[in-house]
Amino acid sequence: MEFGFTEEDEAFRAEVREWLSVHADGTQDRRTWERTLGKSGWIGLGWSESGYGNRTATLTQQVVWAEEYARSGAPPRSGHIGEKLLAPTLLAHGTDEQKARFLPPVAAGEELWCQGYSEPGAGSDLAGVRTRAARAGDGTYRISGQKIWTSLAHEADWCFVLARTDPEARRHHGLTFLLVPMDQPGRIEVRPIRQMTGTSDFNEVFFDGAHARAEHVVGGEGQGWRVAMSLLGFERGVSTLAQQVGFAQELSAVLRSAVRTGAVADPVVRALLVRQWAELRTMRWNALRTLGGSRDAGAASVAKLLWAGWHQRLGELAMLVRGARATVGPGDWSPSAPYELDAQQQLFLFSRADTIYGGSDQVQRTIIAERVLGLPREPKGVV
């Protein structure tokens, strides 16, 4: 099962490859790179005739762009949260004024966003959000609470925050979706979280009376759960296929390592390598099957279970084929560089979190059980 790319799609592919070969040189910082993408019209391809993106592209052309971008080795995106999550949410639930204010700067790569969902006591259980947003006398909201695992919060200009506006409401009731400016010294503090890899891709964000304007409530007060669930549905799609291009590149690197170390002579290792290859092909076919179709209540959960476990097993295999050398860093230890890792060591350590973030495996299985198989809902409050 593959897409039948048309002549127009292949012409589009040639244009994409040529542009990336010239511009994706890796010398620009991430914010400058977003502006470069925006200036050339590559942000907002999936906004489909909204009038706010740079150019329109068919679904197959969006796949072409995502896959070629992954293959090119272009810099990681800083603007994908605004482009892939906020923008579709505003197009579905935002007012005309909100769309006109926020979508053009995203399309231009001028404003970066982060996602204020998870909390220390409400990670996979999003309905347990405790961050409060109280209406002030001037009509604005004052937000107090903590968010965690907030990707790119240290770079973001804005954050879309799920907060509780009705403290008496339980669970998913009484939540509101707010657009909050991050430049509020003394009211918003961002603290990077150091990970096992030695990097800090995630952050804690503390809100202490942070301001949000009433006209920046999306979907209406108390309707945050509906908007938040809609946004989560946008997290998968064309990007899944691009993700798999990156996975294929990582698998190729592990295979080369197995050949180099001689581990490929082990029949068990060969079987594991073949399994990884076959499962990656299966994931691609599943992504193509569900792409652009009607929303399946369990499709996103199935996809998350498939790729998270696959990627974690790949990290383990990357260490297995290297044997004892996997425990040694690429450079000599020194006080100035005490924690250096190569790409496969980074893969192994970072992938330990794959089955937790974005909804843990346990949560995904519960969603499938309840919403697809129709099994009884899990009892609440049971330890």
Side-chain angles (χ1 to χ4, degrees):
M1 182 192 304
E2 293 290 342
F3 273 125
F5 291 109
T6 65
E7 290 184 7
E8 289 78 9
D9 294 334
E10 294 303 335
F12 183 75
R13 185 187 303 277
E15 179 187 358
V16 169
R17 283 182 175 174
E18 181 180 2
W19 189 89
L20 287 170
S21 69
V22 172
H23 293 87
D25 57 7
T27 61
Q28 302 180 62
D29 64 78
R30 285 164 62 144
R31 186 175 284 269
T32 302
W33 175 241
E34 290 298 322
R35 295 192 181 104
T36 299
L37 290 170
K39 187 179 298 184
S40 296
W42 296 116
I43 301 177
L45 298 182
W47 298 358
S48 304
E49 309 294 339
S50 68
Y52 294 103
N54 285 308
R55 66 173 91 184
T56 58
T58 65
L59 185 60
T60 51
Q61 288 170 348
Q62 293 171 46
V63 171
V64 166
W65 164 255
E67 292 189 335
E68 292 301 325
Y69 189 95
R71 290 190 181 103
S72 72
R77 293 287 308 279
S78 290
H80 65 283
I81 295 176
E83 178 188 7
K84 303 297 185 182
L85 299 183
L86 175 76
T89 302
L90 288 184
L91 290 170
H93 302 285
T95 65
D96 290 341
E97 291 76 14
Q98 289 169 347
K99 296 172 189 176
R101 163 60 186 86
F102 293 109
L103 295 183
V106 171
E110 294 290 342
E111 290 184 347
L112 304 181
W113 286 78
C114 61
Q115 178 178 1
Y117 272 21
S118 295
E119 300 181 4
S124 294
D125 181 19
L126 192 58
V129 161
R130 289 180 292 183
T131 293
R132 298 286 183 88
R135 197 74 175 262
D138 60 359
T140 63
Y141 290 85
R142 301 291 190 270
I143 303 169
S144 298
Q146 179 187 358
K147 298 294 181 177
I148 198 167
W149 310 121
T150 310
S151 300
L152 303 177
H154 58 295
E155 299 181 14
D157 303 295
W158 288 81
C159 181
F160 48 88
V161 176
L162 190 64
R164 191 166 295 282
T165 47
D166 183 355
E168 303 300 321
R170 297 289 301 276
R171 302 294 295 168
H172 57 274
H173 300 288
L175 297 172
T176 299
F177 191 100
L178 298 137
L179 309 180
V180 183
M182 291 293 287
D183 186 15
Q184 299 191 48
R187 296 192 178 101
I188 297 179
E189 180 184 358
V190 177
R191 298 180 189 171
I193 300 173
R194 185 176 173 85
Q195 300 154 223
M196 289 193 297
T197 55
T199 57
S200 299
D201 301 290
F202 306 113
N203 304 270
E204 293 179 283
V205 182
F206 296 86
F207 298 94
D208 185 10
H211 293 187
R213 294 163 59 176
E215 59 266 34
H216 293 167
V217 170
V218 179
E221 184 174 311
Q223 299 301 309
W225 183 257
R226 177 175 64 92
V227 178
M229 291 300 100
S230 174
L231 182 144
L232 290 176
F234 298 126
E235 284 193 302
R236 280 83 180 181
V238 171
S239 59
T240 301
L241 291 164
Q243 178 192 53
Q244 291 167 10
V245 172
F247 286 171
Q249 293 170 337
E250 290 177 335
L251 177 57
S252 295
V254 173
L255 178 58
R256 291 193 298 271
S257 181
V259 172
R260 185 171 59 252
T261 63
V264 73
D266 186 331
V268 173
V269 171
R270 289 203 304 273
L272 291 173
L273 288 166
V274 170
R275 174 183 170 178
Q276 291 296 122
W277 177 86
E279 288 181 351
L280 183 58
R281 296 299 299 173
T282 301
M283 285 193 290
R284 177 174 176 80
W285 292 329
N286 182 65
L288 292 173
R289 179 182 63 84
T290 59
L291 189 65
S294 58
R295 296 207 178 276
D296 182 335
S301 293
V302 169
K304 176 62 166 59
L305 281 172
L306 287 174
W307 73 253
W310 183 92
H311 201 223
Q312 200 169 85
R313 290 191 297 275
L314 181 66
E316 294 166 355
L317 184 55
M319 298 298 98
L320 175 65
V321 302
R322 292 170 64 175
R325 287 184 175 274
T327 63
V328 180
D332 293 335
W333 185 94
S334 71
S336 61
Y339 200 75
E340 187 178 356
L341 301 172
D342 62 31
Q344 292 188 13
Q345 291 168 328
Q346 291 265 358
L347 163 64
F348 170 69
L349 290 176
F350 191 87
S351 65
R352 308 316 298 165
D354 285 345
T355 54
I356 301 173
Y357 70 80
S360 68
D361 278 10
Q362 292 83 355
V363 167
Q364 304 304 337
R365 291 189 176 98
T366 297
I367 291 172
I368 294 169
E370 294 178 357
R371 301 182 189 177
V372 179
L373 302 179
L375 297 178
R377 296 185 66 81
E378 183 179 20
K380 301 300 181 184
V382 177
V383 178

